[in-house]
Amino acid sequence: MTLPVVNVFINFSTGPSFAQAMILDQGQLDVNVLADSVAVIVDVSNQVDSIQTVRGRNPQADQFQTGTLNLRIVDLNSDFNPQNTSSPYFGLLDPMRKVQITATYNSITYPIFSGFITSYNTVTPKDVTEVTYTTITAVDAFRLAQNAQIATVAGATAGDLSGTRVNQILDQISWPASMRNIDAGLTTLQADPGTPRTSLGALSTVTLSEYGAFYVSPSGSFTFKDRNTAASSVAGIPVDFNDNGTDISYFNALWRLDDTLVYNAASITRTGGTTQLAIEQPSIDKYFTHSYNQQGLLMQTDADALNYAQAYVASHAETTVRCDAITLDLYTDNYNAGIIAALDLDFFDPITIVTTQPGGSTLDKTLQVFGVAMNITPGSWKATFTTLEPIIESFILDLSELDTGVLSY
């Protein structure tokens, strides 16, 4: 059985970029990044005992969360002891250094996690002949945006599209242009309010005003999707999973029917505007009132705020059975397609899950990936994808259509 090869690199240079540093007259343009000295990048793949990564979206908050990594290393030579002057990393073991996890399979290298080390935790057994482990914890770039306070945003004037504003905020914190994947956006915004807040808070406000998505990719880039891009992803060809042997098999699937994602009354207020309300009475009659509230958004008109409220209710007024999570076991025999899916799937990718029930009935659903978790040890590899309904239903592609009461199907 052929398995992916895990690659773990620690980059002890400063700055956000995961590329090798380039000194003038050395290195490759578009591959390296300009710096005063070459970064110390070490491959610790053969020392790794276990890897756990978690990236994804909180469905109740309607926002992506900070990605995390726990990386346990067999530290036979006390290399990760910051006081060991014989360590090859002596003087380099600082927080906020970079770590990157990739996997190579069939000559293709897939990114799994890119982030910044928050701690080195060493467990030394009482018996010195036993193995010493150092666990490295890390977070993705959301933490850097949360730590960066801003007030004014240069060039952020009324009429900017949401994608322009995202780039302006990232410029404000000097985030490299090479580490961004930003849609132009569809919503025109007010001028930036110029109030003290975190850059992540400012980016979240823009994302909510767009009704889009903002997250960190597994390669470490900030990614912004407008509402159309998020919706159109549903129209892609789904990866099919089932338990009857005709498509990709899976280790387990968690099915759920509940009301946690029902919202049938929305209250949206833009800065300087009047609160806009939308309700879906049949849903209230069926499930009682489930309220959603956002304030201080930056769309230019109350009409846009009302469109947002109506679109949100239209997408969340009903509930149905869903598959909250599906886990793949990469150690399954003859699992080539499953391994490729485990390494390739990421946020917004559509997947179809079919589970056979007792008596011959089935559970069958097409959803989008909104969370990816990897749990890797020398003897096992499980990939878990959390799944949700689309952020915005695929038939609501233009919020302006809601003004007329006519939706495009």
Side-chain angles (χ1 to χ4, degrees):
M1 178 173 57
T2 302
L3 293 168
V5 176
V6 179
N7 314 296
V8 181
F9 298 95
I10 298 175
N11 183 330
F12 289 109
S13 68
T14 58
S17 178
F18 293 87
Q20 175 58 279
M22 179 183 75
I23 306 172
L24 288 177
D25 298 326
Q26 303 178 36
Q28 301 178 52
L29 290 173
D30 297 325
V31 174
N32 305 136
V33 293
L34 211 60
D36 295 327
S37 61
V38 174
V40 177
I41 301 177
V42 297
D43 183 346
V44 297
S45 306
N46 62 354
Q47 296 175 255
V48 172
D49 178 68
S50 66
I51 298 169
Q52 292 87 38
T53 66
V54 179
R55 301 169 49 247
R57 173 173 168 258
N58 182 321
Q60 277 74 43
D62 258 351
Q63 296 184 46
F64 286 91
Q65 306 294 297
T66 302
T68 61
L69 163 71
N70 278 278
L71 171 67
R72 191 163 85 154
I73 291 176
V74 179
D75 195 5
L76 295 177
N77 300 313
S78 191
D79 289 342
F80 288 90
N81 174 2
Q83 295 183 333
N84 179 11
T85 57
S86 298
S87 166
Y89 316 136
F90 181 70
L92 300 174
L93 296 171
D94 292 317
M96 290 292 106
R97 299 293 78 90
K98 289 160 283 194
V99 58
Q100 195 161 38
I101 314 294
T102 64
T104 302
Y105 184 70
N106 287 345
S107 301
I108 299 173
T109 297
Y110 300 85
I112 293 177
F113 182 89
S114 301
F116 302 85
I117 295 170
T118 54
S119 68
Y120 308 83
N121 306 300
T122 300
V123 176
T124 303
K126 183 177 180 179
D127 184 345
V128 295
T129 63
E130 296 181 13
V131 175
T132 296
Y133 294 98
T134 293
T135 298
I136 291 175
T137 61
V139 293
D140 68 19
F142 261 25
R143 171 70 70 86
L144 305 187
Q146 177 63 30
N147 290 344
Q149 292 282 327
I150 62 171
T152 58
V153 177
T157 57
D160 286 337
L161 286 172
S162 53
T164 298
R165 186 65 53 82
V166 168
N167 276 316
Q168 291 164 340
I169 296 169
L170 293 177
D171 288 344
Q172 197 70 33
I173 63 172
S174 301
W175 191 259
S178 61
M179 296 177 65
R180 309 179 192 180
N181 183 13
I182 311 299
D183 284 350
L186 301 171
T187 299
T188 54
L189 304 179
Q190 304 175 42
D192 183 79
T195 55
R197 67 253 194 238
T198 69
S199 59
L200 184 58
L203 290 161
S204 296
T205 298
V206 173
T207 303
L208 286 168
S209 301
E210 167 64 33
Y211 201 171
F214 184 75
Y215 58 90
V216 180
S217 74
S219 60
S221 293
F222 279 125
T223 303
F224 174 71
K225 287 183 178 288
D226 66 35
R227 59 180 178 270
N228 273 12
T229 304
S232 63
S233 298
V234 187
I237 299 174
V239 177
D240 295 326
F241 298 92
N242 63 40
D243 58 357
N244 64 15
T246 59
D247 291 308
I248 301 172
S249 64
Y250 53 82
F251 179 73
N252 61 33
L254 172 62
W255 291 89
R256 176 174 295 171
L257 173 61
D258 60 24
D259 69 338
T260 57
L261 301 182
V262 170
Y263 292 98
N264 45 36
S267 170
I268 306 297
T269 309
R270 69 185 182 94
T271 298
T274 303
T275 298
Q276 302 297 305
L277 303 173
I279 66 170
E280 179 65 27
Q281 192 60 49
S283 174
I284 293 174
D285 294 341
K286 189 174 182 179
Y287 304 117
F288 302 100
T289 301
H290 292 60
S291 298
Y292 175 80
N293 177 47
Q294 290 292 343
Q295 302 179 27
L297 302 188
L298 292 175
M299 60 276 289
Q300 285 192 307
T301 68
D302 283 343
D304 286 340
L306 178 59
N307 289 339
Y308 182 116
Q310 292 173 329
Y312 199 89
V313 168
S315 290
H316 294 80
E318 277 297 334
T319 188
T320 183
V321 66
R322 65 183 185 274
C323 183
D324 265 8
I326 181 171
T327 298
L328 311 183
D329 183 353
L330 275 62
Y331 273 63
T332 301
D333 289 336
N334 302 315
Y335 205 51
N336 179 65
I339 291 173
I340 293 172
L343 300 179
D344 194 45
L345 286 171
D346 202 55
F347 305 152
F348 292 96
D349 289 336
I351 65 174
T352 296
I353 309 106
V354 180
T355 299
T356 304
Q357 296 292 286
S361 67
T362 60
L363 290 164
D364 186 339
K365 197 75 175 182
T366 297
L367 299 160
Q368 285 180 313
V369 172
F370 277 106
V372 181
M374 297 285 181
N375 194 329
I376 307 168
T377 69
S380 69
W381 188 328
K382 289 187 172 64
T384 298
F385 298 98
T386 53
T387 58
L388 289 166
E389 300 284 355
I391 285 179
I392 181 169
E393 296 288 359
S394 58
F395 61 82
I396 307 174
L397 295 182
D398 186 349
L399 296 187
S400 64
E401 293 174 347
L402 290 168
D403 274 338
T404 66
V406 177
L407 299 181
S408 295
Y409 289 84

